Amino acid sequence: MKVVSHVQRECDDWIINTLILDNLDVPFKYKRKKLYQSLQGQRINLTYYPEVETIAGFSIEVMSVVRVKVS
């Protein structure tokens, strides 16, 4: 899959990474202890599972990433 957007932000001691993939509207999220190289425009392979987050009373489907590999 091709990465359209890659955003990294701090949350406590973790860096939260959010990916948006080409032709998909669901965000893919994962945590790391350090900043990661930008994946924008890269082709990657992902291992993930679906999860539901509640934000401001709304249920939003996100994909929790277990493994990211640049291909």
Side-chain angles (χ1 to χ4, degrees), residues 17-28:
N17 290 267
T18 304
L19 302 173
I20 300 294
L21 302 179
D22 196 24
N23 297 325
L24 296 175
D25 295 330
V26 179
F28 290 76

Side-chain angles (χ1 to χ4, degrees), residues 13-60:
D13 292 339
W14 292 94
I15 304 293
I16 308 294
N17 290 267
T18 304
L19 302 173
I20 300 294
L21 302 179
D22 196 24
N23 297 325
L24 296 175
D25 295 330
V26 179
F28 290 76
K29 294 176 125 184
Y30 62 96
K31 294 181 184 179
R32 289 182 56 97
K33 283 288 190 177
K34 297 180 181 180
L35 285 174
Y36 196 71
Q37 65 186 2
S38 178
L39 296 174
Q40 191 161 347
Q42 297 277 339
R43 292 200 160 279
I44 60 172
N45 291 328
L46 291 174
T47 303
Y48 60 90
Y49 60 92
E51 191 174 84
V52 176
E53 284 186 2
T54 303
I55 300 173
F58 294 99
S59 294
I60 298 174

